Amino acid sequence: GSEMCIRDRTSTPASDATGLCSDGYNVFAAFGTNGIYSTNTGTGAAASYTTGTVNGPIAYVKGRLMVANGTSIYNVITGGGAALPTALFTHANAGFTWVGFAEGKAAIYAAGYAGDKSIIYRIPIKPDGSALDLPIVAGTLPDGEVVRNITGYLGNIFIGSDKGARLAIPDGQGNLRIGGLIPT
C-alpha cells in the first residue's frame, strides 16, 4: 500500500519523498516543494493532495493530518490539490526545526528544537472537535539534549533524542512528566 505512491512515478513528482504517513486506508506522501500527494490501499495511483512546500514531518494523529514546513505547522483538512491552509502555528524562533508529531490521550504533541533547546508542545482539540487550539509548551528536555523524534502509544509519549530515549506521561492537563534518560 504505502510504497505504491512513492514508486509510481507516473502520478507523483520525480523528487524524493520527504515524509510518509497513513490513516489506515489513505496514504499521504510529502514531496518537499511539490506538496503532498495521496493514494489509498486500493490503488497504486496518486494525486496531488495539497500544493505548497512540506519539508518537515508529516503524521496522521487523532484523526488529523499534521505537517510542518520551516518553523510552521499545519493541520491539513482539505485535499484535492488545494493549497496548504494558513499555518496553525509559526514558531517565533527562526532557527526552530520541527521533528515530529505524536498522539496523546487528549492532545496532539509536536516536538522541535533550536540549537540545543528542545521543546514539546501540546495542541489541544477544541471541545466541539471542530478545530485545534494553539500549541502550548507541554515539556522541555534538558539544555544540550536535542529531540530527534516523538511518537505516542496508548496515551504515553516516547521521545528520542541525540542522547537516548525518554518516556513521558501526560498529566490531567496534557503537560508531560518526562522520565529519566535511557542512554543509547
Side-chain angles (χ1 to χ4, degrees):
S2 60
E3 297 170 12
M4 299 290 255
C5 66
I6 292 177
R7 291 188 180 169
D8 180 3
R9 291 298 185 191
T10 62
S11 58
T12 61
S15 61
D16 291 335
T18 58
L20 182 70
C21 69
S22 176
D23 64 6
Y25 177 70
N26 296 295
V27 179
F28 305 96
F31 286 93
T33 58
N34 294 301
I36 300 169
Y37 279 66
S38 68
T39 186
N40 62 58
T41 56
T43 180
S48 175
Y49 192 74
T50 64
T51 60
T53 302
V54 179
N55 280 328
I58 179 172
Y60 192 84
V61 288
K62 295 204 83 58
R64 296 178 179 276
L65 180 61
M66 302 296 295
V67 300
N69 184 58
T71 58
S72 298
I73 55 176
Y74 303 84
N75 175 206
V76 179
I77 54 175
T78 305
L84 278 175
T86 301
L88 172 69
F89 177 73
T90 299
H91 203 282
N93 184 335
F96 197 83
T97 300
W98 297 102
V99 299
F101 300 97
E103 182 172 320
K105 288 180 184 173
I108 294 169
Y109 292 89
Y113 68 93
D116 69 349
K117 312 279 188 223
S118 297
I119 305 172
I120 297 131
Y121 289 85
R122 65 180 163 90
I123 307 168
I125 298 171
K126 291 190 181 287
D128 66 2
S130 64
L132 299 175
D133 280 326
L134 291 176
I136 303 162
V137 174
T140 59
L141 294 181
D143 287 354
E145 185 175 349
V146 178
V147 65
R148 298 297 182 191
N149 57 44
I150 185 170
T151 192
Y153 184 70
L154 298 176
N156 296 310
I157 304 299
F158 296 90
I159 302 164
S161 76
D162 59 348
K163 306 239 186 242
R166 293 177 183 268
L167 169 65
I169 300 172
D171 66 14
Q173 259 102 45
N175 294 317
L176 297 176
R177 291 178 290 161
I178 299 174
L181 179 68
I182 303 166
T184 53

